[in-house]
Amino acid sequence: MKIATFNINGVKARIDTLSAWLEASKPDVAMLQEIKSVDEGFPRAHFEDMGYTVETHGQKGFNGVAFLSRLPLEDVTRGLPGDDDDPQARWIEATVIGTRAIRLCNLYLPNGNPAPGPKYDYKLAWMERLAVRARALLDAQEPALMAGDYNIIPMDEDAARPEVWREDALARPESRDAFRRILNLGFTEAFRARVQGPGHYSFWDYQAGAWDRNHGIRIDHVLMTPDCADLLVECWIEAEQRGRDKPSDHVPVWVELDA
DNA sequence: ATGTCGAATAGGATTCGA
C-alpha cells in the first residue's frame, strides 16, 4: 500500500495539478491538507470519476483536510479531540482496508506565526491535544500513522538556511520540544527511519526564488506507531513535483507499507 | 520593497493567511 501526504494549497486552484499527479504517481491513499474549501465545494465527483473514495473535512477560505483513496475507508472521524469550540478544520481520521487495516490520521498543524503571540499559543495548545490523541493510538497497539503538514522543522539539518528560521514558529525551541515529546512517546518518523543527513525538503516558499535556490525546509512528516513501523517498506519525498506547472508550495511525502 | 499565491469580499483592489 502506497500512501502520500500532500499539502495542496487549494483544491480548486490545484485540480489540474492534483489530477495529473494522481494519474502519474498513483497513490492508494492521498492525505491532503489546505484544501481551502467547504465540503460542498470540494470537486468530489471529479475524483470519484478517477476511482477515488473522497472524505473531506473543510471550512470556508482556509485550512481543510481530505482523503482520496482507491481502497475502502472505514470509521471516518472529523476534528482533533480536546476542544469542542475549535472551529478550525485541521484533522480527519479513517481506517484504510488493505491486506491490513491501518488507522490514518491526516493533520494540518497550525503555522503559529507570528511568535510569540496568540497564534503561537494556539499552535502549542493544538500540539498538546495532538499528544493526547497520539498516546491513545499507541495504547491501542494497532498499526496507525499521523501524517500531514506539521509546520515543524525538527532539526537544523531540515532547513537549507536554519539561521533564517531560528525565531520562527516552525523552528522555535518550544515547537521542536513539543514535536520531539510526541515522537518520544514511541513513534517512528518514517523519513528519518530511511534517510539520514541534510538537504531533504518538502516545502519551498513561492517567494524569493526559494525553489530555484533550493531554499527548502522539511515540515511534512509521517509518524508511525510501532505496529505500523514494522510494516514500513520505504519512505521518500517526491521533490520533483515542486518544479511542475502551477505547483503547490509543498510536495508529496510517501510511505509504502506492507499492508 | 519577502523576487508569491489562493480565497474572501465585493464587484477590482485590498486584506488575510501562509
Side-chain angles (χ1 to χ4, degrees):
Chain A
M1 179 189 306
K2 292 199 308 180
I3 301 168
T5 174
F6 193 0
N7 179 322
I8 56 169
N9 190 18
V11 68
K12 290 184 282 286
R14 211 68 62 207
I15 188 163
D16 292 340
T17 305
L18 184 55
S19 301
W21 171 71
L22 291 169
E23 294 284 4
S25 297
K26 300 188 186 326
D28 294 302
V29 185
M31 302 170 66
L32 307 178
Q33 301 90 37
E34 274 204 276
I35 63 174
K36 294 186 175 181
S37 170
V38 294
D39 294 333
E40 312 80 66
F42 194 96
R44 161 183 297 274
H46 172 83
F47 294 110
E48 288 175 343
D49 289 346
M50 294 180 71
Y52 287 89
T53 291
V54 178
E55 295 288 352
T56 65
H57 181 42
Q59 70 176 91
K60 189 163 76 171
F62 310 102
N63 304 329
V65 286
F67 288 109
L68 306 179
S69 180
R70 306 183 75 94
L71 294 168
L73 296 179
E74 296 182 350
D75 301 322
V76 180
T77 63
R78 292 166 174 82
L80 180 62
D83 182 358
D84 293 339
D85 294 328
D86 184 355
Q88 299 199 32
R90 297 179 173 277
W91 181 272
I92 187 171
E93 298 188 23
T95 300
V96 61
I97 310 300
T99 58
R100 301 282 302 271
I102 312 289
R103 188 65 175 168
L104 304 177
C105 302
N106 178 359
L107 68 98
Y108 176 43
L109 206 148
N111 176 294
N113 281 303
K119 290 185 176 180
Y120 194 54
D121 295 341
Y122 174 67
K123 177 178 195 155
L124 296 178
W126 202 93
M127 294 185 80
E128 289 297 324
R129 291 161 59 195
L130 174 58
V132 172
R133 183 71 191 102
R135 279 186 212 99
L137 289 172
L138 291 169
D139 288 346
Q141 297 192 348
E142 291 170 352
L145 60 80
M146 307 188 297
D149 178 358
Y150 277 75
N151 270 314
I152 296 283
I153 302 168
M155 304 210 290
D156 278 357
E157 67 177 3
D158 298 308
R161 296 188 302 165
E163 68 283 357
V164 170
W165 298 94
R166 200 81 64 194
E167 302 299 321
D168 192 280
L170 278 61
R172 290 173 66 92
E174 304 92 326
S175 303
R176 288 181 168 177
D177 287 351
F179 181 73
R180 195 184 310 99
R181 277 198 296 275
I182 292 167
L183 265 183
N184 288 348
L185 295 172
F187 286 85
T188 297
E189 206 232 286
F191 188 74
R192 286 311 186 193
R194 283 291 175 273
V195 183
Q196 302 299 307
H200 303 284
Y201 312 126
S202 65
F203 169 94
W204 294 260
D205 202 295
Y206 289 122
Q207 301 185 67
W211 168 247
D212 292 332
R213 297 174 186 215
N214 197 24
H215 287 171
I217 51 177
R218 196 176 68 90
I219 58 175
D220 299 271
H221 309 300
V222 182
L223 271 56
M224 304 175 296
T225 65
D227 292 276
C228 184
D230 286 342
L231 304 174
L232 180 65
V233 176
E234 193 53 88
C235 177
W236 67 98
I237 299 174
E238 198 179 3
E240 58 270 26
Q241 287 297 322
R242 187 62 177 79
R244 302 189 78 92
D245 287 342
K246 212 166 186 304
S248 172
D249 41 8
H250 295 250
V251 297
V253 179
W254 290 79
V255 288
E256 181 178 356
L257 303 179
D258 182 16

